[in-house]
Amino acid sequence: MKKILAIGCFLLGIAAQAQVNRFFYDYKFIPDSNHKEDVKSEMMYLDIDKNGSNYYSRTKFVSDSTSRADIEKQLKSFSGNISVSRRDNQGQVSFKVTKNYPDFTTYLLRSIATDQYKIKEDQKPEWKILQDKQKIGEYNTQKATTSFGGREWIAWFSTDIPFQDGPYKFYGLPGLIVKIEDTTGSHIMTLVGNKTVAPVTTDSKEPELPQNMRIYGMGGKEIEVSEDQFRKAWKSYVNDPTKNMREMMMKNTETSKVSFKVTSSDGKEISDPNQVFREMEKRTKETLAKNNNPIEPDLVK
């Protein structure tokens, strides 16, 4: 990764409209509030161009691209069966945030089972800019605070970097947000580098599957909803985690076969649909219990 560049390079990046200004953020987070010593870390990209920005996990982007390429390869010689293998490193952060300039219309993209939701943000960060200053990395920064998504946040922004943007849904300060963390220390995003890159397609468009086939875990259809609508969908998922999967499997078995396999905790491969459902429900409930400290509590309450 290249060292953070000086302001002159940023201005060159703006002038070269064909390029994207990519900022690297180290995102540290505590998924389980009962185990605060277990701190996770993920490298996140904030890609900025003249039209807006995208914030997403590098690891998930690579994993999704590889999975789609694998499915597309199988489709070229499709014979009625598609095998979907779970990859070892799919990334720990599945959400993506997009902002459209100049009005900063903000969307959060995150999945529930086979459905991909595009959630329009209805709250603009309201900042209180303070006089506190400190140097973070190469940049002189100033402190600001906001209440957002059920958490209190402290941000450090730099006017050295001419973008009023930042990681996740945060924007609206007189410079790029170099670091932001909630007051509990559960979620911390810190700028660690940047470079200019060619335009990248981050849309998670799925391969065109035959006969309306759907593949669990590949993102599914995109549904644009309000935050209230998403909360209802989330509650339904928590109450019955495998509902979408059961419906998908029942529909696909009428026309063609999709083999979906999981490995149990003792290392055994499971392919029987009923056992797969039970294993997936068990895993989902265990995962939800261990991820009780989300970045935006108000969205899943």
Side-chain angles (χ1 to χ4, degrees):
M1 186 183 303
K2 294 183 179 179
K3 185 177 180 182
I4 300 178
L5 302 178
I7 187 169
C9 293
F10 288 116
L11 296 177
L12 287 174
I14 297 173
Q17 295 184 0
Q19 289 190 316
V20 172
N21 293 277
R22 171 167 292 170
F23 297 90
F24 301 85
Y25 284 86
D26 178 26
Y27 175 29
K28 295 187 184 305
F29 57 100
I30 300 173
D32 188 348
S33 59
N34 298 314
H35 295 278
K36 294 184 178 180
E37 74 285 353
D38 184 17
V39 181
K40 306 295 185 183
S41 181
E42 188 100 341
M43 182 58 64
M44 306 291 291
Y45 288 164
L46 176 65
D47 288 352
I48 298 178
D49 62 21
K50 61 185 180 66
N51 298 314
S53 67
N54 292 293
Y55 182 69
Y56 57 100
S57 160
R58 176 193 180 278
T59 304
K60 185 177 186 302
F61 174 65
V62 172
S63 175
D64 286 352
S65 299
T66 303
S67 294
R68 283 194 292 272
D70 184 39
I71 295 299
E72 288 170 353
K73 182 178 179 180
Q74 293 186 56
L75 287 172
K76 290 180 179 179
S77 57
F78 182 67
S79 60
N81 294 279
I82 292 179
S83 177
V84 182
S85 299
R86 183 181 178 86
R87 299 188 178 278
D88 293 334
N89 191 1
Q90 301 178 87
Q92 305 170 96
V93 179
S94 59
F95 65 73
K96 172 186 171 185
V97 175
T98 68
K99 305 185 190 92
N100 299 324
Y101 298 165
D103 57 359
F104 281 89
T105 302
T106 302
Y107 292 95
L108 170 66
L109 283 79
R110 56 176 296 179
S111 298
I112 296 180
T114 58
D115 293 328
Q116 175 85 350
Y117 287 86
K118 184 177 182 181
I119 312 153
K120 187 174 182 180
E121 177 57 50
D122 56 12
Q123 179 186 359
K124 177 181 178 181
E126 299 293 337
W127 297 101
K128 180 179 180 182
I129 298 178
L130 306 176
Q131 294 303 311
D132 307 59
K133 297 181 180 180
Q134 67 170 289
K135 192 164 187 177
I136 299 177
E138 299 288 323
Y139 294 100
N140 297 310
T141 69
Q142 187 169 347
K143 187 177 183 180
T145 61
T146 189
S147 178
F148 188 86
R151 293 183 181 275
E152 301 299 318
W153 296 89
I154 299 172
W156 296 90
F157 67 94
S158 176
T159 56
D160 294 344
I161 314 175
F163 297 110
Q164 295 183 7
D165 209 330
Y168 196 59
K169 296 180 178 180
F170 300 107
Y171 67 92
L173 286 166
L176 188 73
I177 296 173
V178 173
K179 181 178 181 180
I180 186 164
E181 64 181 304
D182 77 301
T183 52
T184 72
S186 296
H187 298 268
I188 306 172
M189 290 162 274
T190 307
L191 179 65
V192 294
N194 83 280
K195 66 179 180 180
T196 55
V197 298
V200 177
T201 300
T202 59
D203 294 334
S204 55
K205 294 181 179 179
E206 305 305 325
E208 293 185 9
L209 302 174
Q211 301 173 344
N212 296 317
M213 182 188 296
R214 294 169 67 190
I215 298 178
Y216 185 82
M218 289 295 292
K221 60 182 179 179
E222 186 177 281
I223 307 169
E224 187 167 339
V225 295
S226 65
E227 291 189 342
D228 284 341
Q229 290 172 322
F230 178 82
R231 290 187 188 98
K232 291 179 181 178
W234 179 257
K235 288 180 180 178
S236 177
Y237 170 66
V238 171
N239 292 332
D240 189 359
T242 62
K243 179 181 178 181
N244 280 18
M245 183 179 176
R246 291 197 308 271
E247 292 175 349
M248 177 199 72
M249 295 292 285
M250 290 176 64
K251 182 176 181 180
N252 286 335
T253 53
E254 296 174 359
T255 54
S256 58
K257 296 181 180 180
V258 174
S259 59
F260 188 87
K261 301 176 182 179
V262 296
T263 303
S264 64
S265 56
D266 59 2
K268 294 181 179 179
E269 189 177 82
I270 301 173
S271 58
D272 176 76
N274 291 326
Q275 292 182 17
V276 168
F277 295 148
R278 286 194 293 270
E279 182 67 21
M280 291 298 291
E281 183 170 0
K282 177 185 175 183
R283 288 187 184 185
T284 300
K285 290 183 176 181
E286 289 175 349
T287 298
L288 290 173
K290 293 177 181 178
N291 288 271
N292 55 49
N293 197 23
I295 188 172
E296 202 171 346
D298 282 357
L299 196 58
V300 292
K301 63 182 180 180

